[in-house]
Amino acid sequence: MTGLVSPTLGRFDVDRAAERRSDDAWLAQAWADGRVLVLTEKGEAPIAEGKDGPSLQWRDTSGYADDIERVFLGIYEDKPTFVIGGKRDIKADGWMDLRAVGEELSPEHAALLVEAVAITRWHDSHRACPRCGAPTEYVEAGWSTQCTNDGSRHFPRTDPAVIMLVHDGADRCVLGRNEAWPEGRFSVLAGFVEPGETAEQAVRREIHEEVGLRVTDVQYVGSQPWPFPASIMLGFIARVEGSEEIVRNDGEIAEAAWFTKDELRESKGIKVLPTPISIAHHIIYGWLDGELS
Ligand SMILES: [Zn+2]
């Protein structure tokens, strides 16, 4: 029986209070009473350094215009919580992006930051109506937009991607090195789900495209949002079936090989494995520890 991984960015369920998104009177009062996270264009957040590690630094909303474009993230610690775009014009111990600080934040702050980054990135790249090109405006507390010309509604997108460990049913798994990575850096295989296929089909297709293997026993092991720029990573493990010879067919992978558990533990031929912010880390170590099989 396959277990599930517990990825770093998915350990806390934010109360998004979605039923409030259409309640304009409530939202106006919530903005007045609430607090806000400022994110820069690069996705950096103000960070406070404390004895328990870094935390997000909230701001009072009183310094901002009542009609500023904002997204209601939900209710956290009984406070309505929002995100806005801004500059590094407030005092903070540091400004860090999700990749840099995500694994050091509490589960609550990591979940709020990934939500804030994901919805903000969608807004930043979808300013115009895809039908007619006119500007759009925020509606539903920032969880959709509406065209100012034709009134069409547009909803945030999340692109599904699969990420998967191929094993041999025993002691070995396949890791690959992306052509953009330095020598010695390895991870599990990954790729986007294409229109018209299931996640499991995407797993089988991507593995065959990237390393020429056929797999069976494809099992889901968990998911994690990955807003770089707009993905949800769907984690799987799969067992090789038939030939175990790796044949690279695809230009994205510079090299790929079978590794034993001892080789992974002793970093033989491997300099860098994924860090805990990525679901890849949890899949690899879950398999190494025998929690996924
Ligand atoms: Zn339009």
Side-chain angles (χ1 to χ4, degrees):
M1 181 66 195
T2 298
L4 289 175
V5 295
S6 176
T8 304
L9 301 177
R11 291 178 178 161
F12 176 72
D13 294 351
V14 175
D15 174 9
R16 297 188 177 201
E19 71 281 3
R20 297 295 193 181
R21 291 175 186 166
S22 301
D23 187 341
D24 290 340
W26 187 90
L27 285 167
Q29 190 62 46
W31 174 250
D33 297 340
R35 59 187 176 181
V36 64
L37 179 69
V38 177
L39 279 187
T40 68
E41 212 171 301
K42 291 180 178 170
E44 299 154 321
I47 298 295
E49 296 288 351
K51 62 176 169 45
D52 299 325
S55 60
L56 297 176
Q57 189 170 315
W58 310 107
R59 298 290 297 174
D60 198 88
T61 57
S62 59
Y64 299 99
D66 280 343
D67 61 351
I68 193 169
E69 280 191 330
R70 58 188 180 248
V71 180
F72 173 54
L73 295 176
I75 297 172
Y76 174 60
E77 292 177 333
D78 298 326
K79 285 267 192 192
T81 302
F82 296 82
V83 61
I84 59 171
K87 295 195 170 71
R88 289 185 178 204
D89 56 2
I90 57 176
K91 277 215 173 101
D93 293 334
W95 289 79
M96 295 174 83
D97 68 18
L98 178 62
R99 280 185 204 252
V101 77
E103 65 195 43
E104 294 177 63
L105 293 172
S106 67
E108 293 82 357
H109 282 204
L112 285 156
L113 183 56
V114 73
E115 179 188 2
V117 169
I119 188 66
T120 301
R121 287 202 163 204
W122 177 71
H123 279 296
D124 287 349
S125 57
H126 293 79
R127 306 302 302 188
C129 173
R131 288 194 191 175
C132 74
T136 55
E137 58 188 10
Y138 285 32
V139 291
E140 283 192 311
W143 286 95
S144 63
T145 59
Q146 187 157 28
C147 176
T148 53
N149 176 45
D150 61 25
S152 59
R153 289 283 294 281
H154 306 284
F155 296 90
R157 56 182 288 176
T158 294
D159 301 331
V162 289
I163 183 162
M164 53 276 175
L165 180 139
V166 181
H167 63 90
D168 65 355
D171 187 50
R172 297 183 305 153
C173 75
V174 174
L175 299 180
R177 179 171 71 83
N178 189 292
E179 62 176 359
W181 295 349
E183 290 284 329
R185 177 173 166 186
F186 285 91
S187 186
V188 289
L189 306 175
F192 285 107
V193 179
E194 292 190 343
E197 69 181 353
T198 67
E200 290 81 356
Q201 287 168 337
V203 168
R204 292 191 285 269
R205 176 184 53 75
E206 282 285 342
I207 290 169
H208 189 253
E209 283 177 9
E210 293 189 346
V211 294
L213 299 173
R214 297 291 185 187
V215 294
T216 185
D217 199 14
V218 175
Q219 297 194 53
Y220 174 74
V221 298
S223 68
Q224 171 163 274
W226 196 243
F228 308 109
S231 293
I232 171 88
M233 305 304 296
L234 308 173
F236 289 86
I237 64 170
R239 183 163 50 84
V240 68
E241 184 177 55
S243 170
E244 297 182 2
E245 184 190 355
I246 289 176
V247 180
R248 287 185 297 107
N249 301 320
D250 177 310
E252 290 169 33
I253 297 291
E255 57 181 315
W258 287 97
F259 292 88
T260 66
K261 289 189 174 182
D262 277 346
E263 285 169 338
L264 287 185
R265 289 191 190 102
E266 294 160 17
S267 299
K268 271 195 187 151
I270 296 174
K271 287 185 189 143
V272 183
L273 283 172
T275 57
I277 195 167
S278 74
I279 191 173
H281 173 95
H282 300 277
I283 296 173
I284 292 169
Y285 286 90
W287 176 77
L288 254 186
D289 295 342
E291 289 156 16
L292 309 178
S293 59

